[in-house]
């Protein structure tokens, strides 16, 4: 019984995250393009600065996405264990 509840909650959490990540992908892509162009045009280092800043932004965003996924997995597991003990 608890296993089925855990699976349902886990499936819902993953569904939410993937829907959120689809929206975030387009936002991150758009912002990465803006960062690259803005810094490429205005920076004294030119497109090198724009490229490295864009790479840094994308790596930071991907790290955030991975952290959110791991955090959600841990939270769902911990809540299922708490519900089992209650």
């Amino acid at each position: 019984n608890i296993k089925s509840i855990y699976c349902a909650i886990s499936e819902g959490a993953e569904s939410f995250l993937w829907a959120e990540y689809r929206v975030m992908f387009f936002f991150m892509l758009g912002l990465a393009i803006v960062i690259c162009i803005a810094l490429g045009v205005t920076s004294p280092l030119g497109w090198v600065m724009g490229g490295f800043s864009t790479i840094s932004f994308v790596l930071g965003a991907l790290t955030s996405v991975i952290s959110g996924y791991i955090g959600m997995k841990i939270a769902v597991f911990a809540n299922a264990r708490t519900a089992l003990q209650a």
Side-chain angles (χ1 to χ4, degrees), residues 3-50:
K3 176 80 170 162
S4 64
I5 293 171
Y6 167 74
C7 288
I9 292 171
S10 180
E11 182 180 333
E14 280 198 33
S15 210
F16 165 76
L17 279 179
W18 288 117
E20 185 177 275
Y21 291 161
R22 275 193 295 270
V23 173
M24 281 179 51
F25 171 77
F26 292 109
F27 177 77
M28 288 173 11
L29 181 65
L31 195 54
I33 291 169
V34 169
I35 289 170
C36 186
I37 291 172
L39 288 176
V41 171
T42 61
S43 174
L45 296 175
W47 294 102
V48 173
M49 179 68 137

Side-chain angles (χ1 to χ4, degrees), residues 19-84:
E20 185 177 275
Y21 291 161
R22 275 193 295 270
V23 173
M24 281 179 51
F25 171 77
F26 292 109
F27 177 77
M28 288 173 11
L29 181 65
L31 195 54
I33 291 169
V34 169
I35 289 170
C36 186
I37 291 172
L39 288 176
V41 171
T42 61
S43 174
L45 296 175
W47 294 102
V48 173
M49 179 68 137
F52 281 126
S53 295
T54 302
I55 290 169
S56 297
F57 169 74
V58 169
L59 288 176
L62 289 175
T63 302
S64 177
V65 165
I66 292 168
S67 297
Y69 183 78
I70 292 170
M72 183 69 83
K73 283 294 206 184
I74 292 170
V76 168
F77 182 73
N79 285 334
R81 288 179 51 119
T82 301
L84 180 63

